[in-house]
Amino acid sequence: MNTLVIGSGGREHAIAWKMSQSPRVKKVFVAPGNAGTALERDGSKIENVPISENDIAALISFARQNKVTLTVVGPEKPLCAGIIDAFEAERLRIFGPNKNAARLEGSKIFCKEILRRGNVPTGNSHSFDFANRAIEYLENGIEMPLVVKADGLAAGKGVIVCDNREEAIAAVRLIAVERSFGDAGNKILIEERLDGPEVSVLAITDGSTIVRLAPAQDHKAAYDGDKGPNTGGMGAYSPALVFDDKMSEQITSRVLVPTLHSLRTSGVNFKGVMYAGLMMTKQGPRVLEYNVRFGDPECQPILMRLKTDIVDVFEAAIDNRLDKLPPLEWDTRTAVCVVMASRGYPGDYEKGKPITGLDAAAKIEDVKVFHAGTTMNASNEVVTNGGRVLGVTALGENPSEAKNTAYKAVKCIRWDGAWCRKDISDKSVQ
Ligand code: AMP
Ligand code: GLY
């Protein structure tokens, strides 16, 4: 079969790489992909196509012309824009939530409403349509640590964690008056600030059955020791040992199941990846947010460990038969993914820096270098093209072995301004 992966990050490289291992797959097109997916081309089934992930009409005509029978969407933006609805209207098979269901990520206020109706544990919050109302609320309420969030999609940046009232008022102004996140700031959510380790729980659902993926933990802060500004994620590892099987079961029954139920009773049929961002507070797990797609970089170590044919999983979800799917099989080893980033990230950064050492890194056993922000320049060199550039991923018998192998591969790779966190997966042994 011919398949199509939409997106250009490390997550999409990992999805395409995993799908290409399916014996049923002849071709994995990636739109638009990156240098990593381009380089898989020789002797592999993966091929980039130069169509933007947001050009839904062009993606549909490509899928038609190339007899694509399975499309998988990586990022949230096309999902929230309704790519699933558009493909389905053309009778094209595609994996992911429709526009209505993607609001679980696309609107933090909608998400809170669903959680509230389903009695899912989450922080207390208030939503506001106008900045002045939010400021009034902050001025009159008791002072406590709060988090101010833009309602809409803001590329992971619309969440401002505040220490006091002044900071919270400044955050409201930034979102709703200065409109730093554009229309995403049309509405505001003010939430109690929670404390504890964060974990991501990912599952695939067909709307009725929930198949949990292996637990992973992201590292969102830019610098070692969880210091510095928030990023899209500087590394991840799986399995995340912050929670055991019992905790996983508890999260499924207290969080994932009631969320899906609440969506259904609200008339929303959710199909695709449910990604719950949780904080493990002293009072128990609390949902911080939902995403409706694989996490990036969590996807990389998770898929590195998945032994089951992922195409079977996507198809079972599309066809509402996840209940018939045998349990997923996992490599029992640990996978660690270290993100290598451009100088300046998560702020401004330069692009176009030639990257060396990729071949040497790829030769190390149990290492896979997933590309994120890379492209090929006119001289056919791999150059940087984003803030998060590579996700260097390694398997090991235990977390420290996987970590050592990943950093050994990192050491092979160079470009002007490359940097990474040095402590990815250390949380697993705390
Ligand atoms: P979100 O996009 O909602 O997951 O928020 C991004 C990051 O902001 C999370 O990974 C947390 O580190 C932080 N955050 C979000 N909500 C809260 C909260 N209620 N309390 C403390 N930190 C939060
Ligand atoms: N790694 C966080 C995310 O994908 O949203």
Side-chain angles (χ1 to χ4, degrees), residues 24 206 219 303 321:
R24 293 199 291 133
D206 55 11
H219 294 58
L303 295 194
R321 50 176 173 76

Side-chain angles (χ1 to χ4, degrees), residues 22-284:
S22 169
R24 293 199 291 133
V25 166
K26 194 168 91 198
K27 200 90 206 163
V28 186
F29 297 108
V30 191
N34 56 35
T37 48
L39 288 169
E40 299 271 0
R41 189 175 48 196
D42 296 328
S44 117
K45 308 169 179 175
I46 303 176
E47 183 179 329
N48 283 357
V49 289
I51 303 175
S52 153
E53 62 198 33
N54 299 311
D55 191 346
I56 296 178
L59 292 166
I60 286 179
S61 62
F62 178 86
R64 274 255 177 85
Q65 276 158 22
N66 293 278
K67 301 200 166 36
V68 169
T69 51
L70 171 65
T71 299
V72 179
V73 185
E76 62 277 14
K77 212 167 149 208
L79 291 169
C80 291
I83 193 169
I84 301 296
D85 314 61
F87 267 64
E88 286 179 347
E90 300 286 328
R91 297 183 171 277
L92 289 163
R93 281 160 67 76
I94 184 162
F95 172 80
N98 62 22
K99 187 173 179 176
N100 197 22
R103 284 188 297 155
L104 196 62
E105 174 165 3
S107 166
K108 291 191 188 292
I109 294 173
F110 173 79
C111 178
K112 278 285 183 195
E113 189 53 36
I114 292 292
L115 297 178
R116 195 188 56 74
R117 282 187 214 152
N119 228 348
V120 181
T122 185
N124 292 321
S125 66
H126 285 88
S127 63
F128 299 91
D129 289 346
F130 301 104
N132 55 350
R133 286 280 155 76
I135 290 171
E136 242 172 68
Y137 166 82
L138 290 170
E139 279 172 345
N140 297 328
I142 24 165
E143 174 143 4
M144 59 175 191
L146 292 167
V147 182
V148 180
K149 301 182 176 184
D151 176 51
L153 287 184
K157 293 184 185 137
V159 173
I160 303 168
V161 180
C162 306
D163 282 329
N164 53 46
R165 182 176 289 156
E166 283 65 42
E167 280 182 27
I169 291 173
V172 169
R173 292 218 166 91
L174 188 77
I175 294 171
V177 182
E178 293 160 37
R179 301 187 61 79
S180 293
F181 311 106
D183 285 349
N186 284 351
K187 293 181 184 173
I188 303 167
L189 189 78
I190 299 181
E191 189 178 325
E192 69 175 304
R193 182 168 156 186
L194 304 168
D195 195 30
E198 281 184 51
V199 290
S200 318
V201 179
L202 286 96
I204 291 182
T205 182
D206 55 11
S208 306
T209 303
I210 293 172
V211 175
R212 218 177 42 236
L213 300 177
Q217 194 174 30
D218 191 7
H219 294 58
K220 285 194 174 152
Y223 311 130
D224 288 10
D226 287 337
K227 301 279 185 325
N230 223 13
T231 71
M234 294 303 296
Y237 68 97
S238 171
L241 304 177
V242 260
F243 55 101
D244 51 19
D245 282 350
K246 193 169 141 241
M247 185 63 89
S248 290
E249 287 300 329
Q250 217 181 67
I251 288 169
T252 306
S253 61
R254 289 214 200 139
V255 175
L256 299 179
V257 170
T259 302
L260 195 61
H261 189 71
S262 175
L263 282 162
R264 278 176 78 156
T265 53
S266 307
V268 180
N269 179 27
F270 191 101
K271 221 178 237 219
V273 177
M274 293 176 87
Y275 163 148
L278 302 168
M279 197 163 260
M280 311 301 272
T281 71
K282 290 207 178 80
Q283 291 74 37

Side-chain angles (χ1 to χ4, degrees), residues 210-402:
I210 293 172
V211 175
R212 218 177 42 236
L213 300 177
Q217 194 174 30
D218 191 7
H219 294 58
K220 285 194 174 152
Y223 311 130
D224 288 10
D226 287 337
K227 301 279 185 325
N230 223 13
T231 71
M234 294 303 296
Y237 68 97
S238 171
L241 304 177
V242 260
F243 55 101
D244 51 19
D245 282 350
K246 193 169 141 241
M247 185 63 89
S248 290
E249 287 300 329
Q250 217 181 67
I251 288 169
T252 306
S253 61
R254 289 214 200 139
V255 175
L256 299 179
V257 170
T259 302
L260 195 61
H261 189 71
S262 175
L263 282 162
R264 278 176 78 156
T265 53
S266 307
V268 180
N269 179 27
F270 191 101
K271 221 178 237 219
V273 177
M274 293 176 87
Y275 163 148
L278 302 168
M279 197 163 260
M280 311 301 272
T281 71
K282 290 207 178 80
Q283 291 74 37
R286 297 282 183 274
V287 176
L288 296 180
E289 64 162 348
Y290 262 104
N291 296 316
V292 298
R293 33 104 194 146
F294 287 105
D296 187 346
E298 296 96 314
C299 185
Q300 290 82 314
I302 289 176
L303 295 194
M304 191 95 170
R305 293 187 53 228
L306 181 66
K307 287 180 157 175
T308 306
D309 185 337
I310 199 169
V311 170
D312 290 346
V313 184
F314 290 146
E315 291 209 311
I318 292 174
D319 297 335
N320 302 322
R321 50 176 173 76
L322 276 178
D323 57 335
K324 310 263 169 14
L325 194 77
L328 299 183
E329 284 180 48
W330 298 97
D331 193 318
T332 53
R333 292 176 292 171
T334 301
V336 171
C337 170
V338 178
V339 169
M340 296 182 72
S342 296
R343 180 168 47 229
Y345 177 79
D348 293 339
Y349 52 83
E350 285 179 83
K351 295 181 181 177
K353 306 283 183 196
I355 304 172
T356 59
L358 288 167
D359 289 340
K363 282 200 188 103
I364 301 173
E365 203 179 337
D366 292 325
V367 167
K368 177 71 192 170
V369 179
F370 294 112
H371 288 225
T374 66
T375 190
M376 313 288 286
N377 69 9
S379 332
N380 240 9
E381 289 170 313
V382 179
V383 295
T384 65
N385 193 39
R388 292 190 295 169
V389 177
L390 301 170
V392 181
T393 311
L395 283 165
E397 288 303 331
N398 51 52
S400 73
E401 198 186 296

